[in-house]
């Protein structure tokens, strides 16, 4: 049994958390969901294949299950719930409006992926949307509505910017 | 008491730690280690993170007109930076996984895991050299040779105490192309070709039904002879023979039928070569 790490700090969604008694090999997904009770970070597959645990690390999209929790210490972690700093984002509202949210398991990962996509490409083609969300596995099969939701989110954001 | 994770700033410190504590498990982006920990394939009590190593995160030209790619460079950075320098490698990096994986996956990790042929076929086709560091100093070997050990031992030629510092391409190709074919759930084929800048030859690396890429030597001989004979106007029969030879370099290890893998390699090789010689 390995020694637990000394306590370390994780900055998640504008709050500082102290992680105590963790093992060095714990993933960021495990620490966020199980230790810090941030349950919007889903445990879909634990091996990086479903995209449900996506978060932003210093603004960059990462899979939390493929990231050592200790490596996130000293960096800014943003979960899907933190994207709007406590309020629903235009992306979340657009996905809900088009009916893309069925069981909801893929949605946090889809929100992070969409946020990252639109940050790099504010007016993506359908092909770019599909590529940007290629890591999102939706167990309800709702890909058509996910793409439609991202399209609607892009339009809503561009409208705000233009107006 | 030793720390459970060390994140040194320089290679010298890192290899010193590896020599002093050989049980430390190396971690970079985490895309290989975390699933292995989860599945129980790897047990680790102490880690050595490469995330802060200064020397391995750059892409740069060497003094002799070559290209050095640090082992810590992510697939996302490869896509962004290599488009003007080596677009075939940028194209391969763009398909190794979705954006979240590309942000974390590294060149060094791909070499050490020897899993997934997309980046590796390009590196073999362009004759890349793997640069390895240890407390004993620097060792260099071709990526092709480094990976070939997998066929014998199941693991690449990474010796105890070594870490991959990066890959170096000494002679940039005049042209390099990449193609891959995947159907849902099955990786069928990764293929790369590189035309030498000074000699009438094309190197072909194929990864189909095999864990690591191989050079399609017979196909290279066919196309080399034709290039020396006629330059760029490749005879149709030669193209067909070339494709068949690339197909025969496919193996039997994957989940797709070998006939399908061979046919896919044959057709993709012909198309890729036709594009390469036709685009000039």
């Amino acid at each position: 049994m390995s020694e637990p790490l000394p306590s370390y700090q994780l900055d998640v969604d504008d709050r500082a958390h102290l992680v105590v008694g963790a093992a060095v090999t714990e993933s960021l997904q495990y620490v966020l969901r199980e230790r810090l009770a941030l349950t919007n970070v889903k445990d879909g597959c634990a091996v990086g294949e479903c995209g449900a645990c996506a978060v932003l690390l210093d603004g960059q999209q990462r899979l939390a299950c493929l990231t050592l929790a200790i490596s996130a210490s000293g960096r800014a972690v943003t979960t899907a719930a933190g994207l709007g700093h406590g309020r629903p984002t235009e992306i979340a509202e657009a996905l809900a409006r088009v009916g893309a949210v069925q069981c909801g398991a893929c949605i946090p990962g889809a929100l992070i992926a969409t946020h990252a996509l639109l940050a790099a490409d504010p007016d993506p083609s359908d092909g770019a949307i599909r590529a940007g969300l290629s890591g999102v596995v939706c167990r309800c099969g709702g890909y058509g509505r996910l793409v439609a939701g991202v399209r609607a989110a892009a339009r809503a954001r561009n409208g705000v910017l233009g107006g | 008491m030793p720390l459970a994770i060390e994140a040194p700033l320089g290679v010298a410190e890192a290899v010193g730690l590896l020599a002093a504590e050989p049980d430390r498990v190396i971690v970079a982006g985490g895309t290989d280690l975390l699933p292995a920990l989860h599945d129980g394939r790897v047990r680790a009590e102490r880690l050595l993170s490469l995330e802060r190593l200064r020397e391995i995160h750059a892409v740069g030209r060497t003094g002799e007109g070559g290209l050095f790619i640090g082992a810590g460079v992510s697939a996302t950075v490869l896509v962004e930076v290599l488009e003007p320098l080596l677009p075939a490698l940028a194209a391969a990096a763009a398909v190794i996984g979705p954006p979240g994986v590309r942000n974390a996956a590294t060149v060094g990790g791909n070499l050490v895991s020897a899993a997934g042929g997309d980046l590796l076929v390009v590196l073999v086709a362009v004759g890349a050299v793997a640069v390895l560091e240890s407390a004993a100093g620097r060792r260099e070997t071709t990526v092709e040779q480094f990976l070939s050990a997998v066929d014998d031992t199941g693991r690449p030629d990474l010796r105890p105490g070594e870490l991959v510092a990066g890959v170096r391409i000494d002679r940039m190709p005049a042209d390099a192309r990449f193609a891959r074919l995947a159907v849902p759930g099955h990786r069928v084929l990764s293929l790369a070709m590189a035309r030498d800048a000074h000699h009438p030859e094309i190197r072909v690396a194929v990864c189909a039904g095999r864990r690591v890429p191989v050079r399609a030597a017979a196909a290279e001989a066919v196309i080399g002879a034709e290039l020396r004979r006629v330059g760029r106007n490749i005879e149709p029969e030669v193209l067909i023979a070339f494709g068949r030879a690339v197909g025969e370099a496919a193996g039997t290890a994957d989940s797709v039928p070998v006939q399908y893998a061979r046919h896919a390699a044959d057709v993709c090789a012909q198309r890729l070569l036709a594009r390469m010689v036709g685009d000039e």
Side-chain angles (χ1 to χ4, degrees), chain A residues 1-3 5-6 24-28 45-48 60-68 70-71 75 131-135, chain B residues 1 3-5 27 29-35 37-39 44-47 49 51 74 76 97-104:
Chain A
M1 190 61 141
S2 57
E3 288 285 330
L5 285 169
V24 68
T25 50
E26 287 175 13
S27 73
L28 184 60
C45 71
V47 290
Q60 191 183 60
Q61 182 183 186
R62 294 289 180 108
L63 297 181
C65 71
L66 296 182
T67 307
L68 285 176
I70 183 64
S71 76
R75 301 160 82 174
L133 265 64
S134 60
Chain B
M1 184 175 69
L3 292 179
I5 183 162
V27 60
T31 58
D32 289 323
L33 180 66
L34 276 283
L37 287 168
H38 182 263
D39 293 343
E45 294 192 9
R46 286 188 277 175
L47 301 179
S49 171
E51 285 192 318
S74 72
T76 294
V101 170
R102 297 199 301 267
N103 287 337

